[in-house]
Amino acid sequence: MKRPLVIKFGGTSVGGSAEMVRAANVVAETAQNGPVAVVVSAMAGTTDALLGYADATAGSRTTVGETREETVAELHRTLAERHLRAAREAVSEEHFPEVEERIFSLLERLVEVVEEPSADPSARRDGIAVYGERLSAAILAGAIRSLDIPAAVVSGDPIATNGDFGEAEVLGEETRRRAGEYAWPLLEADSVAVVPGYVGRAPDGSVTTLGRGGSDFSATVLGRALGSSEVWIMSDVEGVLDADPRVVPGATLMPQLSYREATLFATLGAKILHPKTMEPASEAGIEVFVRNSFDPASPGTRISDRGYGEGLRCVALRRDLAIEIPCTQGREQRVASVVCIGMPEDGDLARGTRCLKEAGILPLHAGVSSAGLVFFASNEAGEEALRTLHAALIPAVGTAAEEVA
Ligand code: ADP
Ligand code: ASP
Ligand code: MG
């Protein structure tokens, strides 16, 4: 068999019925060329809702002024409504009944998990949180089948982890075995294997999660276990941009990134990828493509082992960092960091500092680190500092980065 391609769809890429159909079309088209495993996130907002309900029902009384029964009924109603609506519109009449039945059986099980007494609150939270992915996987598999492409949700969770609930560590060897047991048989039978992202299984069988945003990591973990050479991360942006587009309107696409650059960028604040995504990819030499699920033919960003670009490449913002600043007599202060990732040239640090001051921002610290240049500013000034440093220090498209690549 050809090496399976892993395609991951994020929450907005399966956020409604139209998006589900679009995602199913991408899979159907790609599946013509070889085996495909799909990793899917929860429909946007579902994980937050599930965790909210998990917390609201954690004690014997709810925290939202309703009885426990009312809260659980509301959870069931909200999730049923949203997922059934998406399924009704994205799945053909022929395949709808099986998807509907699956949605109801998942919701029934979810209510049981919410109501079961649990000694460990974090285990309970994980057990509840994963239902978003389980529900969206059922709908997406139905939507793919509706296009006459065989597709099924894996019957067991392929990713093995330790028991650190909330953000479990992946166990590579055991994941390979589980992927062989649950995903391979589908692929060998020429079916698309649909895998709920974010979910893991501890050695004692408990359900775990890989941490918020962890479906990206699921995708490369699965890719490594299946011997994939490519993983596609489909999101609602063109690819990895050189700054957060919600804060910096002029952010531009980075056509290529090294694993190291991508890891630094994600770790230092870029929300587009889970920080651990590159670990399995770099270990197994898997190329990761970040693409727009609304424009799948566009090239997006390619992440591989090649080092790309000289100079400073991209800027990342983190807020609410607790640091001790000497001028405040060691008192802790909440600040924002902006890291300009890449190799600074002489004069970049001074230019960045000057531009911040000209923009009326007081840099609390400015220095060089192994990642590039690091600036601290007040939390409130963080976004403006990001825009200022992006404009001052990141070369526009068509310069340094592409020439080297
Ligand atoms: P998904 O559900 O597809 O995983 P996320 O919301 O986790 O989507 O990540 C995608 C979002 O990340 C984009 O909509 C974008 O606003 C944001 N983002 C932040 N930084 C960047 C960046 N450097 N490049 C691209 N997108 C970014
Ligand atoms: N649904 C999970 C979350 O919201 C995982 C993911 O989307 O990657 O964190
Ligand atoms: Mg994400």
Side-chain angles (χ1 to χ4, degrees), residues 40-362:
V40 63
S41 289
M43 293 178 77
T46 306
T47 311
D48 286 336
L50 282 164
L51 288 171
Y53 281 108
D55 295 339
T57 55
S60 52
R61 271 193 279 145
T62 72
T63 54
V64 288
E66 293 172 326
T67 65
R68 228 182 125 86
E69 291 68 32
E70 280 168 348
T71 308
V72 174
E74 185 186 291
L75 164 70
H76 189 283
R77 192 175 50 249
T78 317
L79 291 179
E81 250 172 45
R82 182 174 191 198
H83 290 88
L84 287 171
R85 190 180 332 121
R88 210 167 282 122
E89 293 167 7
V91 179
S92 67
E93 257 177 56
E94 183 197 346
H95 294 285
F96 179 71
E98 74 229 16
V99 174
E100 182 186 39
E101 195 187 317
R102 182 76 189 136
I103 291 174
F104 278 121
S105 78
L106 283 169
L107 290 175
E108 225 168 87
R109 180 71 199 122
L110 167 63
V111 167
E112 281 168 24
V113 177
V114 172
E115 287 177 341
E116 262 163 25
S118 166
D120 182 343
S122 50
R124 179 179 178 270
R125 268 184 126 237
D126 276 9
I128 294 171
V130 298
Y131 277 85
E133 271 69 11
R134 299 216 189 287
L135 288 161
S136 60
I139 302 171
L140 186 57
I144 300 168
R145 284 199 296 280
S146 304
L147 300 172
D148 286 333
I149 301 288
V153 180
V154 289
S155 60
D157 297 316
I159 296 180
T161 69
N162 69 5
D164 290 350
F165 298 105
E167 186 157 357
E169 297 286 330
V170 167
L171 309 175
E173 262 318 301
E174 181 59 8
T175 298
R176 214 179 306 274
R177 193 195 64 71
R178 292 181 71 96
E181 185 176 346
Y182 298 119
W184 267 116
L186 289 174
L187 299 172
E188 276 173 339
D190 284 335
S191 168
V192 172
V194 180
V195 178
Y198 181 51
V199 187
R201 282 289 175 146
D204 69 356
S206 327
V207 170
T208 58
T209 63
L210 305 187
R212 294 307 307 269
S215 295
D216 302 322
F217 185 35
S218 301
T220 53
V221 166
L222 188 69
R224 179 177 58 185
L226 295 175
S228 304
S229 50
E230 272 185 35
V231 170
W232 298 358
I233 308 268
M234 309 300 288
S235 190
D236 58 355
V237 276
E238 267 177 282
V240 180
L241 308 182
D242 57 11
D244 184 342
R246 290 168 299 194
V247 181
V248 182
T252 56
L253 178 73
M254 303 180 77
Q256 325 235 29
L257 275 151
S258 67
Y259 295 126
R260 179 176 182 272
E261 286 171 330
T263 301
L264 282 172
F265 201 18
T267 309
L268 294 168
K271 290 272 153 50
I272 175 79
L273 291 168
H274 187 278
K276 290 185 189 162
T277 309
M278 299 310 144
E279 281 173 25
S282 63
E283 189 196 292
I286 300 168
E287 289 193 329
V288 177
F289 290 84
V290 182
R291 294 216 168 102
N292 192 339
S293 51
F294 304 96
D295 183 15
S298 69
T301 298
R302 172 173 163 224
I303 307 171
S304 70
D305 61 2
R306 290 179 56 186
Y308 291 102
E310 286 171 356
L312 295 171
R313 302 264 287 139
C314 49
V315 282
L317 168 68
R318 275 187 305 173
R319 268 167 290 210
D320 275 327
L321 299 174
I323 59 163
E324 280 183 16
I325 295 181
C327 62
T328 57
Q329 278 111 29
R331 262 189 297 123
E332 200 182 87
Q333 197 182 339
R334 298 265 149 191
V335 300
S337 76
V338 176
V339 182
C340 306
I341 295 160
M343 283 173 282
E345 283 164 17
D346 289 349
D348 281 348
L349 182 63
R351 184 144 51 101
T353 309
R354 193 182 67 240
C355 289
L356 285 176
K357 286 183 181 156
E358 282 167 6
I361 298 165
L362 171 74

